[in-house]
Amino acid sequence: SYQAGVGTYLGNSLGITATAVVVTLVVATLGGYAFARFRFPGKDALFLLVLSILMVPYATLLIPLVIWLKDLGLSNSLVGVGLVLAVFQLPFAMFMMRISFEAVPRELEEAALVDGCGSFSALRRVLLPAVKPGLITIGLFAFLAAWNDFMVPLYLVGGDNQPLPLALVNMRKQV
């Protein structure tokens, strides 16, 4: 049942990894910025809740996410696998981005706001260049985690939608 070639499986791996990295970078950047710069009720409790996800074993979150993807119509899809892998990376990534944004002096952002930037414009023009090392770090972590993950694709995709490592193992078992 493995009719596709290695190129297809490599493309699947690249698609899953790209989805996971982009979603992780965008959500973690916006979340880290919000946790570092804005005040809102329950901010500390919500951040503690995000961090507490790191203490939950990986496999226990997988089954509810499989059910959730089935309800969304994303079962056996590369986007679904990428989203699940991004969800697993988000607690650490948000923690890293919060620390990165807190390390940037508030005066830089305030100067941008005085010069006419809004919050999003100040984030894009001033803060993102300042937190580039944090972005690179979480991008690399998300890339390596998504590229090397075996368990999530094992449960979520089959047939020609498999990433390269899973397809190679399945091909080897058939020989």
Side-chain angles (χ1 to χ4, degrees):
S1 82
Y2 299 99
Q3 303 301 322
V6 172
T8 300
Y9 299 127
L10 180 62
N12 292 346
S13 290
L14 289 172
I16 289 169
T17 302
T19 301
V21 169
V22 169
V23 170
T24 300
L25 283 171
V26 170
V27 174
T29 299
L30 295 176
Y33 177 59
F35 281 122
R37 296 293 195 211
F38 297 120
R39 292 183 188 158
F40 53 90
K43 175 175 104 168
D44 294 331
L46 183 60
F47 189 67
L48 189 62
L49 179 67
V50 169
L51 286 182
S52 67
I53 295 171
L54 289 171
M55 293 184 278
V56 178
Y58 182 80
T60 59
L61 294 174
L62 193 55
I63 301 303
L65 287 172
V66 169
I67 295 168
W68 179 59
L69 285 178
K70 190 173 184 177
D71 292 343
L72 290 175
L74 291 174
S75 60
N76 199 25
S77 76
L78 302 177
V79 173
V81 175
L83 290 175
V84 169
L85 291 170
V87 165
F88 288 138
Q89 291 300 308
L90 280 175
F92 172 73
M94 253 191 234
F95 175 70
M96 286 291 295
M97 290 312 297
R98 179 181 178 179
I99 290 171
S100 295
F101 282 116
E102 286 176 347
V104 176
R106 288 188 181 268
E107 289 79 14
L108 285 175
E109 184 179 8
E110 290 169 0
L113 295 173
V114 167
D115 287 342
C117 288
S119 291
F120 185 74
S121 182
L123 170 67
R124 187 173 54 85
R125 294 175 184 218
V126 177
L127 294 175
L128 284 182
V131 298
K132 196 179 293 184
L135 289 169
I136 292 169
T137 301
I138 64 169
L140 287 173
F141 269 92
F143 175 84
L144 290 172
W147 187 264
N148 291 327
D149 194 83
F150 189 80
M151 190 163 45
V152 171
L154 181 65
Y155 284 103
L156 293 181
V157 291
D160 291 344
N161 280 345
Q162 297 177 61
L164 186 59
L166 183 60
L168 290 175
V169 168
N170 286 330
M171 284 181 206
R172 185 168 179 237
K173 284 189 335 188
Q174 285 185 349
V175 174

